Amino acid sequence: MYWLAVFLCILSIESISESLGYQPATASHGGYVQITGMEMTDVSRHPLLELSAARIGKVGYLTPTQPPQPAPQNVNGEVTASWYGPAHQNKLTASGQRFNMHKNTLAHRTLPLGTKVRLFNLYNGKSAEGVVNDRGPYINGRDVDVSYAMAKQLGFVKKGVMKLDMETI
């Protein structure tokens, strides 16, 4: 019964991955399924699992079927920005880099990772350039989270949240 439950979990993950546009990697393991933290299991010896063994022929990392889209050209407009720093220092970002609050980086929900942007504080005339390396912010009403370094350059560390003008470069 245990193996049936494990198998059904694998099938549901596979079907969800397919519906989200992911495909299995091409690493083939024949009639075996590798489950992390357990030994290899020969599914051909389980009569209930034989019917779907052909679907499991390939296992590996899930990869997106579509390549990342290029950065939109000249994205301009007003954004609401907040900043993040010490609580996130040295944690992994969506890009795989470690967050460094002293570097000019920012989080944006939709701009491709690696996009360079310039932010302007229209209230004091200051500007800063940075690279999108994370996803967020996760608070409604905010459009970007900038690093402490960018917030300091833009002059809104004490205020915490500020309307800025943003453009891609």
Side-chain angles (χ1 to χ4, degrees), residues 48-110:
L48 292 175
L49 306 179
E50 285 180 13
L51 296 174
S52 297
R55 292 184 73 195
I56 301 177
K58 297 177 182 177
V59 294
Y61 295 105
L62 296 175
T63 57
T65 58
Q66 297 178 351
Q69 299 299 315
Q73 296 298 316
N74 298 323
V75 173
N76 297 316
E78 185 179 89
V79 295
T80 302
S82 54
W83 65 273
Y84 61 131
H88 299 278
Q89 181 68 9
N90 214 27
K91 291 184 180 179
L92 283 178
T93 63
S95 67
Q97 301 169 338
R98 297 243 175 233
F99 175 69
N100 183 342
M101 62 186 256
H102 303 291
K103 300 264 183 186
N104 283 11
T105 60
L106 62 141
H108 192 277
R109 287 186 194 98
T110 59

Side-chain angles (χ1 to χ4, degrees), residues 69 93-96 106 108 110-115 131-135:
Q69 299 299 315
T93 63
S95 67
L106 62 141
H108 192 277
T110 59
L111 284 176
L113 300 174
T115 301
V131 177
V132 176
N133 75 338
D134 205 1
R135 293 292 174 223

Side-chain angles (χ1 to χ4, degrees), residues 38-53:
M38 301 177 76
E39 59 188 53
M40 298 290 274
T41 304
D42 185 352
V43 295
S44 63
R45 293 186 184 163
H46 298 282
L48 292 175
L49 306 179
E50 285 180 13
L51 296 174
S52 297

Side-chain angles (χ1 to χ4, degrees), residues 15-38:
S15 64
I16 290 170
S17 298
E18 287 174 5
S19 69
L20 293 175
Y22 287 82
Q23 62 187 9
T26 58
S28 178
H29 296 284
Y32 291 89
V33 176
Q34 184 172 0
I35 301 171
T36 306
M38 301 177 76

